[in-house]
Amino acid sequence: VVLKIIKHYQEEGQGNEVVQGVLLGLVVDDRLEITNCFPFPQHTEDDADFDEVQYQMEMMRSLRHVNIDHLHVGWYQSTYYGSFVTRALLDSQFSYQHAIEESVVLIYDPIKTAQGSLSLKAYRLTPKLMEVCKEKDFSPEALKKANIAYENMFEEVPIVIKNSYLINVMLWELEKKSGVADRHELLSLASSNHLGKSLQLLMDRVDEMSQDIVKYNTYLRNVSKQQQQKHQYQQRRQQENIQRQSRGEPPLPEEDINKLFKPPQPPPRMESLLIAGQINTYCQNIKEFNAQNLGKLFMAQALQDYNN
């Protein structure tokens, strides 16, 4: 499955192009065994007649006919510099997890993998976030009541990769064909492009967070202004009734103040949580890049000392 995911990205993923596919397998005791996968086909807007659900059903039906694991257990997606914490991923994983309780999403990072170590992680939505998504109420009050923060939106599931003997033989052959010079490239400190791109993406997300904070502060000012207007209206109403009573006139009928002053709609806060989660991911990437460069620097110095 891992090799199929990597092959799918190498064939169809270009730059920041995201590739996706379906995970197949079965549940054994307390483990989810992912034993097969197939990609979502690339299609353009001109392919209006293409039905992804029908395509998936036909693929699983064909796999069942040839006696291959065909049970749907999740999906996979590539990521571009770790930018996978999005509303699209949240909605997709909620749909999968709501229909198939055991489903996971595998996130493959080709850029980190190219640095010398496989980057593959499995995520699920936490029970708290599942409840909030079911209610579809992302107001500040609802998220505060559910105690939702970006730290407890996703839970990472540990992965154990098991290769067959044939795959181990193939990997051994690939390792023998790779040149020694290519391995030395892993000690190169030329990761400024990766670091610069991560910093640029981080700054973009910080700008988005700043704009979202401005919207929320505007909402708070409008609420405060409306509360003052309500208070002033109630005081004027009370004074008018006192004057009417002094003249022996009946008091004015009470009106629903909420109809006169409709409260402003609070901005949804889910996007802010996702942006915060993405900022955290970029910070982790920058931290890892710096740690890798420090390790490469020590290794290069050790090799130089050894050669001397």
Side-chain angles (χ1 to χ4, degrees):
V1 173
V2 175
L3 293 177
K4 285 183 178 181
I5 294 174
I6 295 174
K7 182 173 180 289
H8 183 199
Y9 176 80
Q10 290 179 344
E11 291 178 348
E12 299 186 6
Q14 300 293 334
N16 59 353
E17 190 76 19
V18 173
V19 299
Q20 297 176 334
V22 176
L23 299 175
L24 305 173
L26 65 161
V27 178
V28 180
D29 298 329
D30 59 346
R31 302 191 312 276
L32 176 65
E33 295 189 358
I34 302 173
T35 56
N36 198 7
C37 68
F38 61 85
F40 288 145
Q42 295 283 357
H43 59 278
T44 62
E45 296 179 355
D46 298 333
D47 303 330
D49 298 334
F50 181 78
D51 189 347
E52 287 190 358
V53 176
Q54 183 65 24
Y55 171 78
Q56 294 181 40
M57 296 301 295
E58 291 179 358
M59 281 293 297
M60 289 187 288
R61 191 179 299 112
S62 300
L63 292 172
R64 182 178 58 187
H65 288 334
V66 294
N67 199 25
I68 296 178
D69 290 338
H70 61 278
L71 297 179
H72 207 158
V73 295
W75 60 298
Y76 69 83
Q77 174 182 306
S78 64
T79 182
Y80 179 69
Y81 284 94
S83 56
F84 64 91
V85 185
T86 61
R87 184 60 181 271
L89 181 134
L90 176 66
D91 294 339
S92 298
Q93 181 57 25
F94 170 74
S95 300
Y96 274 93
Q97 207 164 319
H98 183 66
I100 308 168
E101 185 178 356
E102 300 86 2
S103 63
V104 298
V105 54
L106 285 181
I107 301 297
Y108 167 65
D109 192 331
I111 296 177
K112 285 186 179 180
T113 301
Q115 299 298 311
S117 61
L118 175 64
S119 178
L120 189 70
K121 294 184 178 181
Y123 292 100
R124 286 171 50 83
L125 302 185
T126 59
K128 287 184 177 180
L129 187 57
M130 286 293 295
E131 291 297 326
V132 172
C133 292
K134 286 179 183 178
E135 299 295 333
K136 296 182 180 180
D137 184 7
F138 304 121
S139 62
E141 292 77 11
L143 295 179
K144 183 178 180 180
K145 181 179 179 181
N147 194 21
I148 294 292
Y150 73 87
E151 294 91 351
N152 56 9
M153 294 176 64
F154 298 92
E155 57 182 359
E156 185 176 352
V157 181
I159 298 176
V160 177
I161 300 176
K162 294 186 178 181
N163 292 334
S164 66
Y165 295 116
L166 290 177
I167 292 180
N168 285 331
V169 170
M170 186 190 72
L171 293 176
W172 179 254
E173 291 293 330
L174 291 175
E175 184 178 2
K176 289 196 298 183
K177 290 180 181 179
S178 63
V180 177
D182 295 335
R183 299 179 189 177
H184 286 171
E185 291 180 359
L186 298 178
L187 295 178
S188 174
L189 298 178
S191 63
S192 57
N193 291 336
H194 300 301
L195 185 60
K197 188 63 179 178
S198 296
L199 287 171
Q200 182 61 49
L201 292 171
L202 175 61
M203 288 188 293
D204 293 341
R205 292 297 176 271
V206 170
D207 290 339
E208 292 179 6
M209 177 64 78
S210 299
Q211 295 174 4
D212 202 71
I213 291 174
V214 170
K215 293 179 182 178
Y216 188 68
N217 288 335
T218 302
Y219 161 74
L220 292 179
R221 286 195 298 269
N222 292 335
V223 170
S224 177
K225 182 179 179 180
Q226 190 181 74
Q227 291 295 333
Q228 293 178 358
Q229 292 175 350
K230 284 183 180 180
H231 183 66
Q232 292 174 358
Y233 175 81
Q234 289 174 341
Q235 285 184 337
R236 289 198 305 268
R237 193 78 167 184
Q238 186 176 8
Q239 291 176 359
E240 289 177 3
N241 285 332
I242 292 174
Q243 293 176 0
R244 291 175 67 90
Q245 288 177 359
S246 64
R247 295 194 299 265
E249 299 177 355
L252 295 173
E254 294 185 1
E255 297 179 355
D256 189 356
I257 195 170
N258 290 326
K259 291 183 178 180
L260 296 175
F261 299 93
K262 292 184 178 181
Q265 192 69 21
R269 303 299 293 163
M270 181 55 69
E271 294 296 335
S272 300
L273 292 179
L274 294 173
I275 293 174
Q278 195 59 67
I279 289 175
N280 182 66
T281 301
Y282 290 143
C283 291
Q284 292 294 330
N285 290 344
I286 294 172
K287 182 179 178 181
E288 291 177 5
F289 280 136
N290 291 336
Q292 288 176 0
N293 280 344
L294 187 60
K296 291 177 183 179
L297 187 62
F298 285 144
M299 182 64 71
Q301 184 63 44
L303 287 175
Q304 184 177 1
D305 294 342
Y306 176 79
N307 291 331
N308 293 336

